Amino acid sequence: MLNRRDLLKLSVGAFGLAQRELAAQEKIARAVRGSPSPKIKDVSVIATAPAGLRLVVVKVTTDQDGLYGYGCGTFTQRADLVVPAVEKYLKPFLIGKPADRIEDIWNANYNSSYWRNGPVLNNAISGVDQALWDIKGRQANMPVYQLLGGKVREAADCYGHADGAEYHQTIDAAKMWIEQGFRFVRVQVGVPGMAGYGSRRGDATVKALHSGPVFEPAVYVRRALKLFEESRKALGDDIELLHDVHERVSPIQAVHFAKDAEKFNLFFMEDALSPEDIAYFRLIRQQCATQLAMGELFNSPHEWRPLITERLIDFIRIHVSQCGGLSPARKIIAFAEQFGVRSAWHGPGDVSPIGHAAQITLDVTAPNFGVQEYSPFNERTQEVFQGCPVMKEGYWYVNEAPGWGIEVDEKAAAKYPFGFGETGERKTLNGGWGEIRRKDGTIIKQ
Ligand code: GCO
Ligand code: MG
């Protein structure tokens, strides 16, 4: 028979066991649940231009000490409009919300303006979205790529920009990238006296019915085809060549151009058409197999869905913050995988290092990766953004630290405010673009 002492010992033992059990369960619950759900305490904007391009970074601060995150919302031509979209509209809407409900917050932000899918609002939403992923990575003490299922490749294979006023200058620039170990190079050449895209105009002048910058598509197309010929001769067939038409030709010219460029086996021809003319991709597809990339100007699913489902492009090239951030971008690339379309996220200088970290994260986690556009970070940019992704021999590596692994030095950021490094028209237009016209004065898409 158990005497009272034994019973007491048993119950104390049982109580002890219960205590330990409870503590163990609480530990598991906490591990499963992660730390308590952080609430959004503040949403602020870091507006900086260390490389002379206006960058918008959103900082979301939580009610847990030291737990905050950064996100990119850079629309450089209208950066000053993204700032109040965040401060005046998203901040009051988000304060107090649970920061770990990323998908829910994305949809709440997206629907909160009723009218949606525009470049300004999508960038504002993206800044918050990427910041919430940063917070979740910091909370989980792991890089964001681990939250997306881990790496399917070690790093992102990138392309560098080679350009010049003349063919030999572009080819020399291409050789520089190849010497650094790059396997992909984008080649652009100037059109004498004209405002070509991604290249220098040289010192020739052209007669026009106006005194502003001039561009004539037919001249450009001939120069570009010659560039491809000269580049293949000088660089060989192994190097992957890319070219950005930047929607500078008429739709039917794009059909001709893609056909005539087929023999040069470009890795891709980008933005041969503007978003308004994407129906012409069907004609290009019927005429040739030049690989096509499109997307940096896209804001809405209505733009990219038909091109992907009808396999009218080979590479989707969205500007991640322009579609609303990491949350929509990872869905786009998963969707594209079903149709054999690969990624080539838009990665020029008007994406902040946070935005670059987000797209490299997509590059190393999505099976259907194509190539990544590379933009080097200058010293000032690295002063402001500590922990930038690292480039080695043409491969861009994500940071292995939690979240995006980047800390923003806000004091340094303030040293390079909007307007820093801007001159002439760019300064007058607050980072916006001026106009380019045909000889007869017709405005062109830039
Ligand atoms: C690219 C783009 C850029 C854009 C720029 C707009 O392919 O990198 O076309 O050069 O023109 O990002 O601000
Ligand atoms: Mg482009």
Side-chain angles (χ1 to χ4, degrees):
M1 276 292 293
L2 287 178
N3 62 30
R4 226 163 62 80
R5 182 190 299 279
D6 294 343
L7 273 176
L8 196 61
K9 252 203 252 141
L10 268 178
S11 58
V12 168
F15 178 74
L17 182 63
Q19 283 304 85
R20 281 198 299 281
E21 185 70 25
L22 275 178
Q25 281 169 1
E26 177 52 27
K27 200 152 173 285
I28 292 162
R30 192 185 269 281
V32 172
R33 200 188 51 243
S35 54
S37 167
K39 298 287 181 290
I40 296 178
K41 196 173 77 180
D42 188 22
V43 180
S44 55
V45 178
I46 301 160
T48 186
L53 286 169
R54 300 182 180 212
L55 306 177
V56 175
V57 170
V58 174
K59 181 176 184 180
V60 173
T61 306
T62 75
D63 60 353
Q64 293 178 17
D65 284 353
L67 185 58
Y68 54 85
Y70 301 109
C72 185
T74 298
F75 173 15
T76 202
Q77 288 84 352
R78 297 288 181 273
D80 294 274
L81 299 182
V82 179
V83 177
V86 174
E87 293 175 343
K88 286 216 175 314
Y89 295 98
L90 297 186
K91 175 175 176 176
F93 183 67
L94 291 169
I95 301 290
K97 284 191 190 317
D100 55 1
R101 297 196 175 193
I102 304 177
E103 187 62 35
D104 179 63
I105 285 187
W106 193 90
N107 285 288
N109 285 341
Y110 179 65
N111 292 296
S112 67
S113 55
Y114 188 49
W115 279 271
R116 48 194 179 264
N117 283 327
V120 171
L121 297 182
N122 277 4
N123 272 280
I125 293 171
S126 165
V128 171
D129 178 72
Q130 293 181 9
L132 298 180
W133 279 102
D134 193 11
I135 288 171
K136 196 170 277 283
R138 290 170 189 247
Q139 247 196 315
N141 196 24
M142 56 176 81
V144 174
Y145 76 78
Q146 290 292 16
L147 304 178
L148 301 189
K151 289 180 181 174
V152 296
R153 61 190 59 78
E154 300 317 314
D157 214 337
C158 291
Y159 67 89
H161 292 172
D163 67 84
E166 291 308 327
Y167 305 121
H168 67 87
Q169 293 165 329
T170 303
I171 289 166
D172 290 349
K175 286 180 180 162
M176 302 241 284
W177 289 112
I178 295 168
E179 275 147 29
Q180 291 172 49
F182 280 70
R183 290 151 292 281
F184 299 79
V185 178
R186 185 187 83 171
V187 288
Q188 309 283 142
V189 71
V191 185
M194 296 192 188
Y197 163 73
S199 56
R200 279 154 275 162
R201 72 177 70 191
D203 28 346
T205 54
V206 286
K207 229 161 130 309
L209 303 182
H210 59 90
S211 57
V214 174
F215 185 79
E216 282 297 332
V219 189
Y220 149 68
V221 169
R222 288 193 292 276
R223 298 259 308 164
L225 289 167
K226 181 80 178 140
L227 172 69
F228 304 155
E229 187 186 333
E230 296 300 320
S231 301
R232 278 291 174 226
K233 257 193 260 158
L235 306 171
D237 292 332
D238 293 345
I239 186 72
E240 297 283 10
L241 295 178
L242 300 79
H243 181 74
D244 192 343
V245 182
H246 221 258
E247 54 163 4
R248 289 289 187 99
V249 298
S250 71
I252 198 62
Q253 277 176 322
V255 178
H256 284 287
F257 189 13
K259 239 170 103 174
D260 296 342
E262 189 173 11
K263 57 181 173 289
F264 301 112
N265 194 23
L266 297 178
F267 184 76
F268 72 52
M269 175 180 272
E270 172 188 350
D271 289 2
L273 297 165
S274 63
E276 295 80 8
D277 299 316
I278 52 178
Y280 271 84
F281 274 117
R282 293 188 185 90
L283 267 76
I284 297 181
R285 274 299 201 229
Q286 285 156 12
Q287 305 264 341
C288 69
T290 293
Q291 302 201 135
L292 303 168
M294 179 83 184
E296 69 183 59
L297 283 166
F298 288 167
N299 302 289
S300 157
H302 311 305
E303 295 170 303
W304 57 75
R305 234 182 248 144
L307 295 185
I308 292 176
T309 52
E310 293 178 48
R311 299 177 173 85
L312 293 173
I313 56 172
D314 305 289
F315 300 93
I316 186 73
R317 236 182 93 56
I318 286 173
H319 184 100
V320 170
S321 65
Q322 203 78 8
C323 73
L326 185 84
S327 295
R330 71 191 185 105
K331 293 178 196 170
I332 293 166
I333 203 59
F335 172 65
E337 186 187 354
Q338 307 305 313
F339 299 91
V341 175
R342 293 180 281 168
S343 71
W345 304 105
H346 187 229
D350 47 316
V351 172
S352 75
I354 307 276
H356 284 298
Q359 57 205 10
I360 302 168
T361 295
L362 290 162
D363 292 337
V364 298
T365 53
N368 50 329
F369 168 74
V371 70
Q372 177 59 56
E373 179 174 17
Y374 170 64
S375 294
F377 304 123
N378 70 13
E379 270 172 35
R380 290 186 299 271
T381 302
Q382 295 185 56
E383 177 198 357
V384 175
F385 298 90
Q386 279 134 39
C388 290
V390 172
M391 167 54 67
K392 262 184 274 161
E393 295 180 351
Y395 288 114
W396 226 351
Y397 293 81
V398 275
N399 191 315
E400 294 295 341
W404 302 128
I406 297 176
E407 289 304 329
V408 179
D409 179 335
E410 296 187 44
K411 280 210 190 65
K415 286 189 330 187
Y416 315 113
F418 281 0
F420 176 84
E422 287 171 2
T423 54
E425 191 181 51
R426 182 66 59 91
K427 196 163 191 70
T428 322
L429 299 176
N430 293 315
W433 287 4
E435 57 187 40
I436 300 176
R437 294 177 181 275
R438 303 271 312 265
K439 283 180 180 170
D440 66 2
T442 310
I443 199 102
I444 68 152
K445 291 191 177 103
Q446 297 192 42

